[in-house]
Amino acid sequence: MLYAVIDIGSTTIRMAIYEILNNKLNLIHKRKYTVGLASYVKDNVMEQAGIDKACEILNSFKSFLTSFNIENVSAFTTAALRNAQNSKEAVTEIIARTGIDLHIISGDEEATYDFIAATHELDYHDGFIIDIGGASTELIRFADNKIIQKTSLPIGSLALHTKYATDFLPSEEEIAQMIKEVHAIIDTAPEFKDISHAEICGIGGTCKGARALYNEMYAQDDINETIPADKIPEMISHFTRGHKLTDKDITTLLKTVPDRLHTIISGMVIANEIAKLIHATAITYKDAGMREGFLYTHVIEGYFFMQKNNDILQILFSYQDKNYAQFVQKLLPKNIDRENIKIIGIRLPQLRKIAKDLVKNNWQEFLNQNTNEYFEQIMLEGFVIAYAPIDINAKQKLIQNFLPKINNWSICDSFCASFQLKTKDKDLYLSFIKNYLNSPNEYELRFAIVMLLDYYLTKDFADNALQLVYNTKDISYSVNMAKAWAFSKYFTFYPDKGLNFLQTKSLSKDVFKMTCQKIRDSRRVSSRYKEALKNL
């Protein structure tokens, strides 16, 4: 399979075409334009000229891909666009003008893709990774092949150069200003202080250019990938504006970093300060980065699950977003011990992707070994059960074993929404669901109600489903809210019948109030019916 990845970065816009065979990537073609998109950002707004330039290049890429019938394409953009105040508007315009579906990659995702690509190439399991881009720098610390800490810092080689340098090469004073800003931004990531790593794995264009420049300056073989950390200040000083350059110096620059003449020094300033921060003695360049990490994650299905040491927790933690974990914690019910529920912080689309990959490989092993230590492990188990390619009787046994593990509405409702029941299977599932309509366990009962409202409010069965929900007991807030959700959804689909239901049925005060509020909040219910609620 041929697969193209387009990466709109802060310095360059690239297209790489890979041949994917036997779960291995083979780069067969690449194109690059050095645009310096970050320099088009003024007052935190991407200028129209920058949008126009991006559209021009993407349309040329699209024409090339069309000529060779390459249909598998993914495109994403990083710091230059994601940090702009008008990022969504700019991306929307680019998509409209090119027809290429462009995604904004978060700093957290960028760091994760860097980790995946870099560790695939490394022969050691503990280390420190840096990726110095044009407008951001990703730092990843890992141990036992698992991310320990990661962050995306808002500093980059092009951004620093644009802000402080007045010529291709910065002066000593301008470098001092750059160092001051780098220190200030590094201080915002205290988790990376007081650590020590002898070697840094450097990926991306800045580290690649610095490696090439070092090899030329110090007469190293082209295959050398390592830069001694103590040589970086020498390289910066040698090419500082004010230092007289010889013809050989100029030739070295033009030969090794033709596309990064104006950003290589500012990029090495960042690399040098990070090396000092963690007491590194060397930076070793690896020719792998975000594009490869993206493909391993989203295209080479089941990549992680075919590794020799299959560690699901390692995979889950590689997608950790601590801010999202805090957000999830706040959503959990107040009547449970929220502080003792361990949350990694993984967004649902990624969890669903992992589940679908598991189902294609060793899902039975996962179910047998799952420890349910973390919120996401329980959620993932539910998704795997829902997606598992087995007959209904076998699946119902798995559901039966899983339901006691549910302790909040988020897992319950996400689990229910994952089944996508086929019409031919609904009768068999309905008999199973009815077993839980009188359950004293609140989440078993909520499971039954949510399954009814998700799959049985169809024209031929909606009235029966509504009556089944109505007959259940009000045993908890979670159950009452599910009932109100079912009644309001019925009202939305069948407003006349729904209004009659509320007029003739006796609901508890809490459920009635919740139902009416959900109906009033719905945009699909006309003002006429909302007005009628006031008379109930």
Side-chain angles (χ1 to χ4, degrees), residues 374-386:
Y374 290 89
F375 171 88
E376 284 83 1
Q377 287 178 293
I378 302 173
M379 185 80 83
L380 182 61
E381 181 173 327
F383 291 163
V384 168
I385 291 170

Side-chain angles (χ1 to χ4, degrees), residues 322-356:
K322 292 182 179 179
N323 290 332
Y324 186 68
Q326 293 175 357
F327 171 75
V328 172
Q329 193 116 39
K330 293 177 181 177
L331 293 179
L332 296 180
K334 295 180 180 179
N335 63 333
I336 64 175
D337 190 357
R338 292 191 290 183
E339 296 303 319
N340 287 330
I341 293 181
K342 299 169 71 174
I343 299 173
I344 299 172
I346 308 171
R347 297 178 185 275
L348 286 184
Q350 187 58 58
L351 269 179
R352 292 189 184 280
K353 174 65 172 62
I354 294 171
K356 290 175 181 177

Side-chain angles (χ1 to χ4, degrees), residues 367-479:
L367 293 183
N368 291 333
Q369 297 180 357
N370 191 23
T371 62
N372 297 311
E373 181 181 1
Y374 290 89
F375 171 88
E376 284 83 1
Q377 287 178 293
I378 302 173
M379 185 80 83
L380 182 61
E381 181 173 327
F383 291 163
V384 168
I385 291 170
Y387 300 150
I390 53 179
D391 65 54
I392 293 175
N393 290 329
K395 183 164 293 193
Q396 288 178 354
K397 290 180 181 178
L398 293 178
I399 297 171
Q400 186 176 358
N401 293 332
F402 177 72
L403 289 179
K405 301 177 183 180
I406 299 176
N407 63 359
N408 64 80
W409 66 267
S410 180
I411 290 176
C412 177
D413 297 0
S414 298
F415 175 57
C416 293
S418 302
F419 283 91
Q420 302 298 317
L421 298 190
K422 297 178 181 178
T423 301
K424 65 182 181 66
D425 297 331
K426 284 188 176 182
D427 287 343
L428 288 174
Y429 270 101
L430 182 60
S431 297
F432 178 76
I433 291 167
K434 286 181 178 179
N435 293 330
Y436 294 96
L437 287 172
N438 294 313
S439 174
N441 180 299
E442 67 173 314
Y443 289 109
E444 289 183 351
L445 178 51
R446 183 176 173 108
F447 160 78
I449 294 171
V450 174
M451 288 294 286
L452 287 172
L453 72 89
D454 276 348
Y455 302 107
Y456 293 90
L457 288 184
T458 54
K459 188 175 182 180
D460 58 334
F461 197 78
D463 294 344
N464 289 333
L466 193 72
Q467 188 62 42
L468 290 173
V469 174
Y470 176 73
N471 291 338
T472 60
K473 296 180 180 180
D474 297 358
I475 64 172
S476 71
Y477 176 84
S478 174
V479 168

Side-chain angles (χ1 to χ4, degrees), residues 130 132-137 139 151 153-161 163-164 174-190 192-193 236 265-277:
I130 62 171
I132 302 169
S136 70
T137 294
L139 307 180
T151 191
L153 300 176
I155 48 173
S157 58
L158 179 58
L160 274 187
H161 181 276
K163 188 172 182 178
Y164 294 110
E174 291 165 349
I175 288 176
Q177 291 175 316
M178 292 179 185
I179 293 173
K180 184 178 180 181
E181 175 157 333
V182 173
H183 281 169
I185 292 177
I186 287 178
D187 284 342
T188 65
F192 287 96
K193 292 183 178 180
I236 294 172
I265 302 304
S266 55
M268 287 197 296
V269 166
I270 297 172
N272 188 51
E273 296 308 311
I274 293 172
K276 290 193 295 184
L277 173 73

Side-chain angles (χ1 to χ4, degrees), residues 68-105:
F68 289 94
N69 297 316
I70 298 174
E71 298 178 351
N72 299 310
V73 182
S74 290
F76 50 77
T77 181
T78 53
L81 273 170
R82 76 166 172 251
N83 293 340
Q85 185 178 329
N86 62 331
S87 61
K88 290 184 179 180
E89 293 82 358
V91 168
T92 299
E93 180 176 344
I94 292 171
I95 293 173
R97 291 173 58 181
T98 65
I100 294 175
D101 193 10
L102 180 63
H103 300 278
I104 301 175
I105 298 295

